[in-house]
Amino acid sequence: MPSEETRTTTPPTVRSAAAHDAGKREGAGHPHDARKPDGASPRAWTTRLLVLGIVLSALNLRPAITSLGALLEEVRDGLGMSGSVAGLLTSVPPLCFAVFGVMAPRLARRFGPGAVVCAGMAAIATGLLIRPYAGRTAGFLAGSALALMGIAVSNVLMPVIVKRWFPDRVGSMTGLYSMALALGTALAAAVTVPLTDTLGGSWQTGLALWAGLALAAVLPWLPFARGRGTQPGEGERAAEETARNRAPASAEYARGQTPRLRMARSRTAWALAVFFGLQATAAYITMGWMAQIFRDAGVPAGTAGLLLAVTMVMGVPLAFVIPRLATRLPQQGPIVVALGLCGLVGYAGLYLAPSAGAWVWALLLGVANCAFPLALTMVGMRARTGPGVVRLSAFAQSTGYLISIPGPLLVGVLYQHSGGWGLPIALMSALMIPQMVVGVLAGRDRTVEDEASR
C-alpha cells in the first residue's frame, strides 16, 4: 500500500497539451468515468465527501479577515489597540499567506494534502476561538496568525487537491471552490455585526462564533487525513503512463523520470505570480477602502457598506462561470483583458462620478475582482503534474501575496497626504495595466514543466 506521501509525489492524470481538448473533456466527462490519481474509480461517497470538504474549506478561507473588519472598532476599544497597530492588521493577512504558504509543498509531501488541509481547518478553528479571549493585543495577533497559517496552507493546496482528484473537471471544481470562497467572504462581512447584536453585543462572541464553521470543515477531511477514502494501486501507474504519453515535459519524462522543477526559471510561473499579486492588491484595496471612497463622496454609511457587499457578492456567480470558461479556451488572455477593462471603467467612475453611478461602479469592480478565481484556474492549467501544481501554487501565491502587501498601505498614505482620492484612484488604475499584461502572459497555453525542468 503506497503511503500518502508516495501518492502526493506521483504525477496524476493530466490534461492534454491542447487546452481546448481539455475543455471538451471537462464538459462531457463524469467524475467516475475518468481515472483518478489515487485509484481507478473512487466510490461515490468518497467523491461526495471530497466535494463537501472542498466547499466547507473554501467557506472558511476569508471569514477570519472580513469578520474582524466588521468589528474592528469594537476590537480596538476592547484591547486598547493603537491606530497604527490596527492599520497594520490590513497587511497581516497577505504577509501570513506569503510566509506560511511556502510551507505547504513540504507539508504535503510529508503528510499528504488531505491531512494538511484537515490540520489547516483545525488551526483556523483554534485561532478563531482563542484570539477574542487572549486578553491582550499580542495574544490577539498570535491567535490571528494561527488562523491565517491554516488559511495559507489551505490556499495553496486547494488547487492541488482539485487537480489531483478531479483532473477532468478542473474548471468546474475550481469554480465551485471559488464561489464558496466568495460566499464566505460576503457572508462574514454581512452577518457578523447582526449576529453579534443578537448574541448580546459582545465582540468576542461575534468573532469566536466563526470557529464553529471551521470546526465543521475538519470533519470531511478526517478519512483522507488517515489515508482512507482512496483506492491506491493501478490507477497511479495508469495516470503516470498517461502523463508521459500525452504530453512529455522533457526527455526526463520520456525516460520515466520526474523532472526537478525550479519555478524561478519559468517565465510562466513569474507571470502568474505577478498577476496573482496585482489582483490581490486590487482586492485588498477594494475591501479596505472602497466604502470610504463612497462615504467621502456623500453616500450614506449604510449604503456604502451595502455597495461593498454587492462588490463581494458579484464573485459568487462569476467565480463559478469564469473557471469553466477559462478551461474551454486555448488561452486565457481575453478573459484577463475583459476583467481588467471592467476595473479601469470602474475606477474611472469612482473618480468622475462616485455617487451618481455608485451601483454601476460597484458592479464593475466586483467583476474585476474575479481575477482571483481565474488565477486559481490557471494554476491548475499551467502545470502538468501533481508536484508541478503544488510548487506552482506555492510559488505564485507566496510571491503574489508578498507583492500585495504594500498596496493598501500606500493607498492610505496617498489619501492622507493628498487629502482626496485622486492619487489613490490613479494608482489603482495604473496597477491594472501591468495586471493585464502579465495575465495575458500567464494565460498562454504552456506548462511550467516545459520551462522549469532540470
Side-chain angles (χ1 to χ4, degrees):
M1 291 287 291
S3 66
E4 185 73 32
E5 179 180 354
T6 302
R7 292 196 298 272
T8 302
T9 57
T10 302
T13 305
V14 294
R15 63 186 288 273
S16 169
H20 182 67
D21 294 339
K24 290 182 178 179
R25 287 198 306 277
E26 180 186 343
H30 188 279
H32 293 177
D33 297 335
R35 284 180 298 205
K36 300 297 184 288
D38 289 301
S41 274
R43 298 169 184 160
W45 72 266
T46 305
T47 302
R48 295 190 187 101
L49 200 60
L50 274 170
V51 173
L52 178 63
I54 289 171
V55 170
L56 285 177
S57 298
L59 285 172
N60 280 280
L61 295 183
R62 292 299 180 269
I65 303 169
T66 51
S67 63
L68 175 60
L71 295 172
L72 184 56
E73 184 175 348
E74 289 79 2
V75 172
R76 286 184 58 188
D77 293 340
L79 296 177
M81 189 181 297
S82 67
S84 59
V85 174
L88 186 61
L89 284 176
T90 61
S91 292
V92 167
L95 177 61
C96 289
F97 294 165
V99 172
F100 295 126
V102 177
M103 302 163 50
R106 181 174 298 180
L107 292 173
R109 289 194 299 269
R110 178 70 176 84
F111 302 104
V116 176
V117 172
C118 183
M121 293 299 111
I124 295 171
T126 304
L128 292 182
L129 187 61
I130 67 174
R131 75 174 181 178
Y133 304 105
R136 295 185 178 180
T137 299
F140 187 90
L141 291 175
S144 296
L146 178 60
L148 292 169
M149 178 177 67
I151 295 173
V153 295
S154 302
N155 271 338
V156 171
L157 293 180
M158 276 296 132
V160 177
I161 288 170
V162 168
K163 179 79 169 184
R164 184 181 176 199
W165 273 291
F166 301 93
D168 55 330
R169 294 201 166 194
V170 171
S172 58
M173 289 305 301
T174 302
L176 181 64
Y177 151 71
S178 302
M179 184 172 64
L181 189 151
L183 181 61
T185 304
L187 188 66
V191 307
T192 296
V193 173
L195 284 177
T196 300
D197 294 338
T198 301
L199 296 174
S202 170
W203 64 266
Q204 287 96 337
T205 304
L207 291 182
L209 63 86
W210 293 102
L213 182 61
L215 188 62
V218 173
L219 302 179
W221 293 105
L222 290 176
F224 304 98
R226 295 197 300 265
R228 298 203 312 234
T230 57
Q231 302 175 19
E234 293 297 326
E236 291 182 353
R237 290 191 289 274
E240 183 176 356
E241 182 177 354
T242 302
R244 295 174 191 158
N245 291 340
R246 283 184 178 176
S250 65
E252 289 175 291
Y253 269 118
R255 294 194 300 269
Q257 303 173 2
T258 301
R260 184 172 61 188
L261 301 179
R262 296 183 177 92
M263 290 296 119
R265 291 186 175 182
S266 169
R267 294 181 179 179
T268 298
W270 276 109
L272 187 54
V274 176
F275 176 69
F276 197 98
L278 291 176
Q279 66 80 27
T281 299
Y284 279 105
I285 289 173
T286 299
M287 285 189 289
W289 293 107
M290 195 181 78
Q292 189 64 47
I293 295 175
F294 285 128
R295 292 183 66 176
D296 288 351
V299 176
T303 304
L306 185 58
L307 287 166
L308 179 58
V310 167
T311 298
M312 292 189 291
V313 167
M314 284 297 296
V316 176
L318 291 179
F320 188 72
V321 173
I322 289 176
R324 292 175 63 88
L325 177 61
T327 56
R328 284 165 167 76
L329 295 177
Q331 300 189 36
Q332 290 71 51
I335 304 178
V336 171
V337 173
L339 297 179
L341 291 176
C342 287
L344 288 175
V345 175
Y347 290 138
L350 285 181
Y351 178 76
L352 296 173
S355 59
W359 294 100
V360 176
W361 318 139
L363 289 172
L364 287 172
L365 291 174
V367 174
N369 281 347
C370 289
F372 175 70
L374 177 61
L376 290 180
T377 305
M378 288 196 288
V379 168
M381 298 179 69
R382 296 288 86 85
R384 180 176 292 120
T385 66
V389 176
V390 174
R391 292 182 176 92
L392 178 58
S393 182
F395 179 80
Q397 294 200 43
S398 296
T399 305
Y401 281 124
L402 281 176
I403 293 172
S404 71
I405 291 172
L409 294 176
L410 184 56
V411 167
V413 170
L414 290 175
Y415 172 59
Q416 181 177 351
H417 285 80
S418 66
W421 287 106
L423 286 178
I425 291 175
L427 173 65
M428 294 182 239
S429 302
L431 291 177
M432 192 60 68
I433 303 300
Q435 177 178 319
M436 288 191 287
V437 172
V438 294
V440 170
L441 295 177
R444 294 177 297 177
D445 188 16
R446 58 191 64 192
T447 62
V448 294
E449 285 89 348
D450 297 328
E451 300 175 343
S453 59
R454 182 180 53 184

